[in-house]
Amino acid sequence: MGGRPPGGLTASPRLRRVVLALATLLALGATIAIAFAPWLLVEHPLLLLALAPDGADMVLVAGRLGPLPLVLVALPLRILGVGTAFAVGAIYGAPVLAASRSSRVQRIRGGLEAILDRFGAPLLVVLPAYAVATLAGAARLPPRSAAPAIVLGQVVAVCAAWFLGDALSAPIDALVAFLREHLVAATLLCAAAVLTWQVRKWVTRN
């Protein structure tokens, strides 16, 4: 894959809007999940899983919900989320990296391409994370190679979360019991932390 052209994935304006809309909705869901995490974990674990099917949330709810919701809810949503992350990287990441005059950014770009030249799509199976998919898109991994690796990687991630959640069921149950006793305070604390973070981001941008 050496000698990649600097441009991003060719995409129509409509596709770009769809990708950005999906990315925004997924980010919004994750933000809501973090803000109300204690309440969702205790009272609505399936909704927590639907809003933010990341590794930690899958592990936390696996023992209470069982494997079926992980397969029917978390797996397709993770495939959608990681696929969207790859698309964002593929469409927008490569041009940003190529246009940058920063030597550090160019080193990062070269490092990404070197890693993918060596490992290719299997990297998305071994490291099935959103950030890795975004970086793979920015480093111009072909979508036809990335797609099956993303799907397989998310199957691995869901299976790992189920086994880990089952193994940690005792401490997770203890955490849920603690949060149930302090549900209002814990939820307000999380919501305040998220609100503060969002306000700081807005102030920094403006």
Side-chain angles (χ1 to χ4, degrees), residues 72-149:
L72 296 181
V73 177
L75 181 58
L77 286 175
R78 280 190 64 89
I79 291 172
L80 175 64
V82 175
T84 300
F86 176 85
V88 169
I91 294 172
Y92 300 101
V96 170
L97 291 175
S100 174
R101 297 182 179 180
S102 168
S103 59
R104 182 180 180 183
V105 170
Q106 292 307 320
R107 285 197 300 271
I108 292 173
R109 178 191 176 201
L112 290 175
E113 293 187 355
I115 291 172
L116 286 169
D117 281 338
R118 182 171 182 180
F119 297 103
L123 186 66
L124 294 171
V125 179
V126 178
L127 298 173
Y130 297 92
V132 176
T134 303
L135 295 176
R140 302 189 57 74
L141 181 69
R144 65 180 180 276
S145 300

Side-chain angles (χ1 to χ4, degrees), residues 21-103:
L22 281 174
T24 301
L25 286 174
L26 292 168
L28 178 61
T31 301
I32 293 172
I34 295 172
F36 299 97
W39 175 68
L40 290 170
L41 177 60
V42 172
E43 300 293 345
H44 301 283
L46 185 59
L47 180 57
L48 174 63
L49 190 66
L51 287 170
D54 58 26
D57 289 337
M58 288 195 297
V59 171
L60 287 172
V61 305
R64 299 174 64 199
L65 297 180
L68 192 58
L70 294 183
V71 174
L72 296 181
V73 177
L75 181 58
L77 286 175
R78 280 190 64 89
I79 291 172
L80 175 64
V82 175
T84 300
F86 176 85
V88 169
I91 294 172
Y92 300 101
V96 170
L97 291 175
S100 174
R101 297 182 179 180
S102 168
S103 59

